[in-house]
């Protein structure tokens, strides 16, 4: 019972910690799409939760199969996250500025599936290193831990989308600008955290 409680607690705390970047990006998605329906909200939160659950499990597998190669890849993670979120956020920001200034066509609706998958990858890639944290677990406890991380991420992201929707309605046409700026800032935060911490 004690080991199970520790495992669940570890999964909950890791889930909350890892979900913060995804929460911020979910907030940006809610800002950009203030009339998002509940089914789409579940889909968006689901994409983030799947990525956040899979990455630590992939990290765990890498630690148990090719640890030295995985360690060599780890320094690239902040650069990849910055590039992905910078690209998506920059595109969103540029479209919002052009729409707001009247220089471009205003796109109605939220992020495409491709953009959501890129966001999911970018916000979860640093979770690969969690494979080191749970490396002492056997496969089934590691799987349970990552499932808990996924569930926590889903709930946190759903709340983030809902909050973003509420602010998005108030911000009207500027929501895309704020959402894009948030994505760029999250990319920079992941980058500097990965480089300097």
């Amino acid at each position: 019972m004690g080991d199970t409680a520790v495992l669940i607690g570890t999964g909950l705390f890791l889930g909350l910690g890892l979900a913060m970047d995804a929460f911020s990006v979910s907030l940006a998605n809610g800002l950009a799409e203030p009339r998002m329906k509940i089914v789409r909200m579940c889909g968006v939160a689901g994409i983030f939760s799947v990525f956040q659950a899979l990455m630590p499990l992939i990290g765990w597998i890498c630690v148990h199969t090719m640890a030295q190669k995985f360690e060599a890849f780890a320094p690239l993670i902040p650069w990849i996250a910055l590039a992905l979120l910078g690209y998506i956020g920059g595109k969103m920001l540029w479209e919002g500025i052009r729409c707001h200034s009247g220089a471009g066509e205003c796109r109605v609706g939220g992020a495409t599936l491709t953009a959501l998958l890129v966001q999911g990858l970018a916000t979860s890639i640093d979770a690969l290193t969690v494979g080191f944290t749970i490396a002492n677990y056997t496969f089934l406890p590691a799987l349970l831990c990552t499932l808990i991380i996924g569930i926590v991420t889903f709930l946190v992201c759903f709340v983030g989308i809902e909050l973003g929707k509420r602010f998005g309605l108030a911000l009207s046409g500027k929501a895309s600008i704020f959402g894009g700026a948030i994505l760029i800032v999250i990319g920079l935060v992941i980058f500097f955290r990965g480089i300097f911490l």
Side-chain angles (χ1 to χ4, degrees):
M1 179 65 184
D3 289 344
T4 305
V6 169
L7 178 65
I8 292 170
T10 301
L12 289 172
F13 282 113
L14 285 172
L16 284 171
L18 292 172
M20 289 303 104
D21 293 335
F23 169 81
S24 300
V25 175
S26 296
L27 190 69
N29 285 323
L31 277 168
E33 194 176 347
R35 302 200 191 288
M36 192 186 300
K37 304 283 186 208
I38 193 156
V39 172
R40 181 162 163 82
M41 289 171 68
C42 289
V44 171
I47 286 171
F48 287 110
S49 66
V50 166
F51 272 101
Q52 289 288 7
L54 277 179
M55 288 299 182
L57 190 59
I58 291 169
W60 181 90
I61 291 167
C62 288
V63 167
H64 286 269
T65 57
M66 50 182 185
Q68 289 180 332
K69 290 180 183 175
F70 180 66
E71 285 179 29
F73 169 76
L76 298 176
I77 290 173
W79 293 94
I80 295 168
L82 177 64
L84 294 174
L85 284 175
Y87 172 73
I88 295 290
K91 189 168 181 259
M92 199 170 160
L93 183 64
W94 176 248
E95 287 173 0
I97 291 169
R98 289 187 66 208
C99 172
H100 191 63
S101 68
E105 183 181 332
C106 295
R107 184 175 64 83
V108 179
T112 63
L113 177 60
T114 303
L116 289 172
L117 291 172
V118 170
Q119 290 174 7
L121 176 64
T123 56
S124 66
I125 196 163
D126 59 337
L128 277 169
T129 58
V130 171
F132 289 118
T133 307
I134 60 173
N136 60 327
Y137 292 163
T138 57
F139 178 72
L140 284 178
L143 180 63
L144 177 59
C145 187
T146 58
L147 287 175
I148 294 168
I149 290 169
I151 292 166
V152 170
T153 301
F154 180 88
L155 296 173
V156 167
C157 289
F158 193 88
V159 169
I161 295 167
E162 184 60 38
L163 289 172
K165 282 173 54 179
R166 290 173 191 245
F167 287 115
L169 285 170
L171 292 171
S172 140
K174 296 186 180 133
S176 182
I177 295 170
F178 286 112
I182 287 172
L183 293 183
I184 292 169
V185 168
I186 294 303
L188 289 169
V189 167
I190 292 172
F191 175 75
F192 286 116
R193 190 174 58 211
I195 295 294
F196 296 112
L197 295 180

